[in-house]
Amino acid sequence: MATLCVTGSTDGIGLAAARSLVTAGHRVLVHARTAERGRPVVDELDGPAREAGGRVHLVTGDLASLDQVRALADQVGQHAPLDALVHNAGVWVRGQVPARSADGYETTFAVNALAPHLLTSLLAGALDDARGRVVWLGSGMARSGAKHLGSGRLEDLATADTRGDREAERAYSASKAADVALALAWDARLEAATSLALDPGWVPTKLASPGASGSVDVPGEALARLATRACLESLDGARYVKGSRPTPIPGPLLAADLQDALASLCDRLVGAA
């Protein structure tokens, strides 16, 4: 039985991954912003989990608040050693999503990149050395986002103006490119555990644009597979995957200098420098 934490696992791809993991007999930490949001999901998964010999636990925290991310890390750490930390949660600034996080950063970057960076930093020591995985959710939009990261000031990610639809889309694509770059940066930082990213494809989630087809079960199962199976040999060292196969990393994100600079920026912004 592996112990895994999946952020943003109350719906969409995260819920699909959590369901796949609990029915395979694993111990899954289901993450929600609040207990009110997460408790019905945990209750739903509890029966299938027990039937399979697994367990399901609720952990909570709003990823738009660094203090709540730290509190979340404390909750997750109580279940150490951790076999995998899956960074699935994400936001797109539109509708009721505020443009700024509780700490004053651009919300998309704060939730999609800063929060998982801080959570990884706080839980790196809790990862099982032999099997530890950190899995980040990339996107096909990371390709356009990589151009923004490669041509602009990284510091602007934290202060971008997302009041327009085009600006919000750009911030999202940049945050997904940042996730892929951070996956690579953390793979170099971690002594034994592996860090890699998954492109989930265009499937119908609450963040997807109209017209997305397919099912969230497909990337959900891919997340579960990357987090639990000894599949790295078949990936031939790849650190960006789509489905069960390696997928090309956008060129600008391959630069070690960019990876290091982004990780260092995140260190400073979360107070870990």
Side-chain angles (χ1 to χ4, degrees):
M1 178 193 296
T3 300
L4 314 98
C5 176
V6 182
T7 66
S9 43
T10 58
D11 59 19
I13 296 171
L15 176 56
R19 184 178 288 114
S20 177
L21 289 164
V22 297
T23 56
H26 297 296
R27 178 185 293 111
V28 181
L29 310 182
V30 168
H31 162 255
R33 285 195 303 272
T34 64
E36 291 75 15
R37 183 176 177 83
R39 181 51 58 189
V41 175
V42 170
D43 291 343
E44 173 194 341
L45 295 177
D46 187 63
R50 291 183 181 278
E51 289 178 9
R55 293 290 184 271
V56 58
H57 305 275
L58 177 64
V59 292
T60 61
D62 186 345
L63 300 186
S65 164
L66 294 177
D67 282 344
Q68 291 200 37
V69 173
R70 295 183 182 98
L72 171 61
D74 288 341
Q75 296 171 57
V76 175
Q78 294 174 16
H79 299 272
L82 195 65
D83 293 278
L85 177 59
V86 179
H87 296 307
N88 164 78
V91 298
W92 185 314
V93 175
R94 57 189 176 192
Q96 300 301 309
V97 179
R100 287 287 180 268
S101 72
D103 306 281
Y105 301 128
E106 193 282 309
T107 299
T108 318
F109 179 66
V111 172
N112 297 4
L114 273 188
H117 178 84
L118 176 57
L119 201 57
T120 304
S121 178
L122 294 172
L123 291 172
L127 285 168
D128 183 280
D129 285 344
R131 299 183 299 174
R133 304 277 175 86
V134 183
V135 185
W136 305 67
L137 201 67
S139 167
M141 295 179 69
R143 295 196 174 282
S144 59
K147 298 177 183 177
H148 304 325
L149 264 64
S151 62
R153 288 182 352 111
L154 292 179
E155 289 79 1
D156 293 342
L157 292 169
T159 58
D161 184 349
T162 53
R163 286 177 291 184
D165 291 344
R166 180 176 297 179
E167 290 77 13
E169 179 178 340
R170 178 170 176 157
Y172 181 80
S173 64
S175 75
K176 291 289 97 180
D179 283 338
V180 177
L182 287 170
L184 300 173
W186 273 104
D187 193 54
R189 284 186 172 194
L190 295 168
E191 292 185 8
T194 299
S195 176
L196 70 169
L198 173 75
D199 177 352
W202 192 36
V203 293
T205 69
K206 63 185 180 183
L207 298 187
S209 55
S213 60
S215 168
V216 295
D217 290 340
V218 175
E221 290 171 3
L223 275 181
R225 182 169 59 250
L226 288 178
T228 59
R229 297 184 184 176
C231 62
L232 295 187
E233 294 81 1
S234 65
L235 296 178
D236 195 27
R239 292 297 179 262
Y240 197 27
V241 179
K242 187 171 184 178
S244 59
R245 296 183 178 183
T247 194
I249 296 170
L253 306 183
L254 290 169
D257 287 349
L258 183 146
Q259 298 166 21
D260 292 343
L262 178 60
S264 296
L265 170 65
C266 292
D267 285 341
R268 295 196 300 273
L269 294 178
V270 303

